[in-house]
Amino acid sequence: MADYRKMWEDIGMDVDNHDLLCSVLPGAIGDVFLSQENRPEAMDYFDMVLADVHGLRPAELVEFRKNGGKVFGTFCTYVPDEIIFAGNGIATGLCAGSQFWVPGGERYLPANTCPLIKAMLGARFDKTCPFYRLADIYIGENTCDGKKKAYEILGTDVPMHIMDLPQMKREKDIEKWAEECHDLLEMVEKETGNKITPEKLAENIKKINTKRAALKRLYDLRKNKNVPISGTDTLLISQIAYYDDPERFTTMVNKLCDELEKRVADGISVFPAGTKRIMISGTPMAIPNWKMHNLIETSGAAVVCEETCTGTRYFENFVDESGENLDEMVSNIADRYMKINCACFTPNSGRFDDIIRLAKEYDVDAVIDVNLKFCQTYDIEGYLLEDKLKEAGIPVLGIETDYTDSDAQQLKTRIEAFIEVL
Ligand code: BJ8
């Protein structure tokens, strides 16, 4: 790993505390990723990005900012990257998947808050994540109550732009979201000093659609009987999607898919024949949260699909590229993003339809619905979801967990028992 200490100091990180975080990463990479058998060679790129997660991309962002570029930190899958990139800005996901950041967040938030939100605040206020240091402005959104109130606290330390996400999907809500996307566009223009022209926006709509197509290609390959890549590896790729350079990321995913296609043609699988196929649904798994995939795949099953924001919700549905002027393009962007089915919406029956459709497409034996502790919306939605899945004849196991390892053994026992009776 290259030495990025000076860079971390320069961007105001607490380097000594950050050393503690770095010291656990190599072990985790070894245990979770390198211990898997028969991994695709093209995972090398994603392994390298992970090994240098706080160095490689942050160094690029530092260079970009030196030349006057603006970095926009985002938290939610609803924030349209195409608008940020069209203003020559860079969008970067703000990772919050580590237990390391949770105690820091608990200094500001009630203990019974979702770990993802606590980790967001810990990462910022503990100064141990370079992405949180390098984003010039954070883009929050009105999704769950916990997030929107936590953004107020973040706003005491960093500029925030909040997008008011409607929570129903009527025509007027979609129009309202288009207005919010317009406001985002104006904010990006103001921050970057760059005009977003129709040409620029069209180019970036294409660019992000191409990235979605690469992820779709990767996910489609998992539909094969011989699964050519593990769910754990695919999750890593989905996590990296949030902050890597979009064009380089697309190229690397397509390179991986070339290799996976060959594996499929040769009948190569990373799992023994007859391995049970599991779909995970529920709350997002921000990097470095690999807990559930690791538990499931070391319990003798294969994760073949994720209906999460680190899964299909991130890349399904493309932005219509036929818009001829800015208004049409923004409205097409709003349409696409409003097709994401997050539990903060009501009613949210589209999500049940998605899960049942995906269960068929990926030929899964069961769904494991995973919710982060204290996430009310997904937890409550789990009630109806279980009903719908039972009606469709799809076995389901509901799990509530956090970022700690304290429940790992107990979860493993439950997962193994569940898989055994499938
Ligand atoms: S589109 S899932 S990224 S809001 S897990 S913080 S909901 S209490 S993350 Fe999300 Fe956007 Fe929806 Fe996706 Fe709140 Fe629940 Fe925590 Fe959550």
Side-chain angles (χ1 to χ4, degrees):
M1 203 189 283
D3 186 5
Y4 293 105
R5 241 185 134 75
K6 168 92 175 58
M7 175 183 83
W8 292 330
E9 277 166 7
D10 289 349
I11 59 175
M13 285 174 64
D14 176 347
V15 178
D16 291 338
N17 196 8
H18 182 249
D19 283 348
L20 299 174
L21 176 60
C22 291
S23 66
V24 293
L25 191 62
I29 296 175
D31 291 350
V32 177
F33 292 98
L34 306 183
S35 61
Q36 299 177 100
E37 278 173 27
N38 198 15
R39 298 178 75 214
E41 277 176 24
M43 279 308 293
D44 280 3
Y45 171 74
F46 302 99
D47 288 348
M48 176 196 71
V49 172
L50 173 62
D52 255 348
V53 62
H54 280 183
L56 276 179
R57 184 63 172 156
E60 290 177 353
L61 298 182
V62 167
E63 268 317 293
F64 176 71
R65 289 172 90 224
K66 266 191 204 148
N67 298 320
K70 291 280 180 207
V71 178
F72 297 82
T74 63
F75 296 97
C76 178
T77 317
Y78 280 94
V79 177
D81 283 354
E82 18 309 71
I83 293 178
I84 296 167
F85 285 103
N88 290 337
I90 290 184
T92 187
L94 292 177
C95 46
S98 172
Q99 176 61 24
F100 185 80
W101 292 311
V102 168
E106 283 176 343
R107 288 203 304 273
Y108 302 84
L109 296 163
N112 61 353
T113 307
C114 139
L116 195 147
I117 303 174
K118 289 195 272 200
M120 271 164 41
L121 265 64
R124 173 73 202 180
F125 291 114
D126 286 354
K127 303 186 170 70
T128 45
C129 176
F131 294 98
Y132 277 78
R133 305 300 310 158
L134 289 164
D136 295 284
I137 181 162
Y138 292 4
I139 303 172
E141 71 309 310
N142 278 341
T143 43
C144 67
D145 288 350
K147 263 178 157 183
K148 70 184 166 211
K149 298 312 283 180
Y151 293 145
E152 294 174 12
I153 302 176
L154 281 176
T156 61
D157 198 43
V158 62
M160 298 285 313
H161 173 88
I162 305 292
M163 298 185 76
D164 188 9
L165 184 72
Q167 312 227 312
M168 294 180 77
K169 292 186 178 173
R170 301 158 301 185
E171 206 43 50
K172 61 181 176 185
D173 299 311
I174 299 170
E175 281 165 20
K176 157 97 176 107
W177 185 237
E179 277 174 34
E180 289 297 312
C181 294
H182 267 291
D183 290 352
L184 176 74
L185 186 147
E186 278 170 22
M187 184 278 283
V188 170
E189 283 187 334
K190 191 167 149 266
E191 288 296 317
T192 59
N194 298 323
K195 187 98 200 110
I196 298 182
T197 60
E199 294 71 31
K200 265 285 190 194
L201 190 53
E203 182 193 313
N204 282 280
I205 287 174
K206 257 203 184 78
K207 181 160 88 186
I208 304 297
N209 273 347
T210 310
K211 176 176 163 180
R212 289 188 184 108
L215 283 166
K216 180 174 178 335
R217 186 177 167 210
L218 170 64
Y219 270 64
D220 281 349
L221 282 157
R222 302 166 80 195
K223 293 176 181 169
N224 283 287
K225 208 173 176 55
N226 289 317
V227 190
I229 183 168
S230 71
T232 309
D233 278 342
T234 315
L235 173 64
L236 175 63
I237 295 166
S238 296
Q239 292 170 333
I240 289 174
Y242 276 88
Y243 62 89
D244 199 5
D245 171 75
E247 278 161 321
R248 177 177 55 209
F249 176 83
T250 304
T251 305
M252 299 321 282
V253 172
N254 277 323
K255 183 174 165 221
L256 170 69
C257 290
D258 292 343
E259 184 184 345
L260 300 186
E261 266 167 15
K262 184 150 186 330
R263 283 185 162 206
V264 169
D266 295 345
I268 297 173
S269 173
V270 284
F271 300 107
T275 301
K276 297 294 179 202
R277 301 168 66 95
I278 303 292
M279 173 162 84
I280 287 183
S281 63
T283 47
M285 295 167 177
I287 199 164
N289 177 11
W290 311 300
K291 181 175 169 177
M292 287 309 302
H293 282 66
N294 184 244
L295 283 173
I296 296 168
E297 293 196 328
T298 55
S299 298
V303 178
V304 294
C305 180
E306 299 82 15
E307 183 277 327
T308 65
C309 285
T310 36
T312 55
R313 290 204 290 268
Y314 183 72
F315 67 82
E316 281 206 319
N317 301 306
F318 288 35
V319 175
D320 178 350
E321 294 181 10
S322 68
E324 289 183 352
N325 54 49
L326 273 185
D327 279 349
E328 278 178 23
M329 289 177 202
V330 170
S331 142
N332 290 342
I333 287 173
D335 283 352
R336 183 267 158 193
Y337 281 86
M338 284 292 270
K339 287 187 188 129
I340 300 168
N341 291 315
C342 172
C344 63
F345 279 80
T346 187
N348 195 33
S349 51
R351 180 161 170 252
F352 306 145
D353 299 342
D354 282 347
I355 294 174
I356 290 168
R357 169 180 57 82
L358 291 167
K360 289 184 185 142
E361 283 178 14
Y362 288 80
D363 192 21
V364 305
D365 294 291
V367 170
I368 299 188
D369 186 40
V370 183
N371 294 312
L372 283 172
K373 227 175 235 173
F374 308 119
C375 174
Q376 266 195 334
T377 50
Y378 280 88
D379 193 10
I380 294 173
E381 195 159 282
Y383 176 83
L384 289 180
L385 175 62
E386 286 194 20
D387 266 6
K388 301 277 175 203
L389 285 170
K390 278 180 192 147
E391 247 171 64
I394 302 165
V396 54
L397 173 68
I399 283 180
E400 194 187 57
T401 188
D402 57 17
Y403 292 166
T404 66
D405 280 332
S406 58
D407 58 353
Q409 201 42 52
Q410 194 198 1
L411 288 177
K412 199 161 168 53
T413 309
R414 282 180 66 200
I415 292 164
E416 282 169 352
F418 179 65
I419 294 166
E420 213 173 291
V421 295
L422 290 177

